[in-house]
Amino acid sequence: MFDIIAVDISGRHKTAEGYLMVCAAIAASVTADHVEKVNQIAIRSFRNKSAPSVQDVVKMIEDTVSELKSEATIVTEAGDMYNKPQWLINSMFSQNFKYQESLSERRCIEIAHHVSFSSRKLLLKERDIQQ
């Protein structure tokens, strides 16, 4: 068993009021093919007037992950980091980073996606923002 932090960001498309993005980070204990335990979840929202750059995405992830009590490796889909090489993205983070490889990492990213997507949907509804 090993620990990871799976991350997903929802909202990288423009709304009437700019970009309202939600980052979800899931600290979990996993095996190669099974999520053993979700230890913590952190959620943060971010607003931006322009589309986020790679550096903006790294900052959002680092800010969200800083709320967790875990030093595990951060795991995302390659598309979340604009398909940049893993070595380049890893050099931008203050802790270990990698793209998802195993089934359990994929499942944790799916959990993070459900959390970020539904949280963003709720924020849009509460703030009466049209997509």
Side-chain angles (χ1 to χ4, degrees):
M1 193 164 35
F2 56 98
D3 292 335
I4 63 167
I5 300 172
V7 177
D8 183 74
I9 299 173
S10 290
R12 291 199 223 184
H13 43 277
K14 194 170 188 175
T15 65
E17 298 181 20
Y19 294 83
L20 175 62
M21 296 162 283
V22 174
C23 181
I26 310 295
S29 299
V30 299
T31 61
D33 63 348
H34 187 72
V35 179
E36 294 291 330
K37 181 178 179 185
V38 172
N39 300 310
Q40 282 184 288
I41 298 176
I43 309 163
R44 292 198 65 185
S45 65
F46 300 89
R47 286 181 160 248
N48 211 348
K49 291 186 183 216
S50 59
S53 66
V54 174
Q55 292 84 359
D56 294 331
V57 172
V58 169
K59 175 90 170 92
M60 284 187 266
I61 292 172
E62 288 231 319
D63 287 351
T64 306
V65 167
S66 71
E67 297 180 14
L68 301 173
K69 295 175 184 150
S70 177
E71 292 296 319
T73 300
I74 297 169
V75 180
T76 69
E77 295 174 320
D80 282 342
M81 306 309 290
Y82 301 99
N83 295 310
K84 300 290 185 196
Q86 183 174 312
W87 65 266
L88 176 65
I89 301 302
N90 191 32
S91 70
M92 301 170 117
F93 279 96
S94 60
Q95 67 190 77
N96 288 336
F97 169 87
K98 71 176 205 156
Y99 291 134
Q100 67 102 26
E101 297 170 336
S102 70
L103 182 58
S104 62
E105 291 168 348
R106 176 77 214 136
R107 287 180 175 159
C108 284
I109 289 172
E110 288 173 357
I111 295 168
H113 172 73
H114 289 295
V115 171
S116 67
F117 182 79
S118 58
S119 298
R120 181 175 183 273
K121 191 173 176 181
L122 180 61
L123 278 174
L124 291 171
K125 182 179 177 182
E126 289 296 314
R127 294 179 181 181
D128 198 28
I129 298 174
Q130 301 301 314
Q131 293 190 26

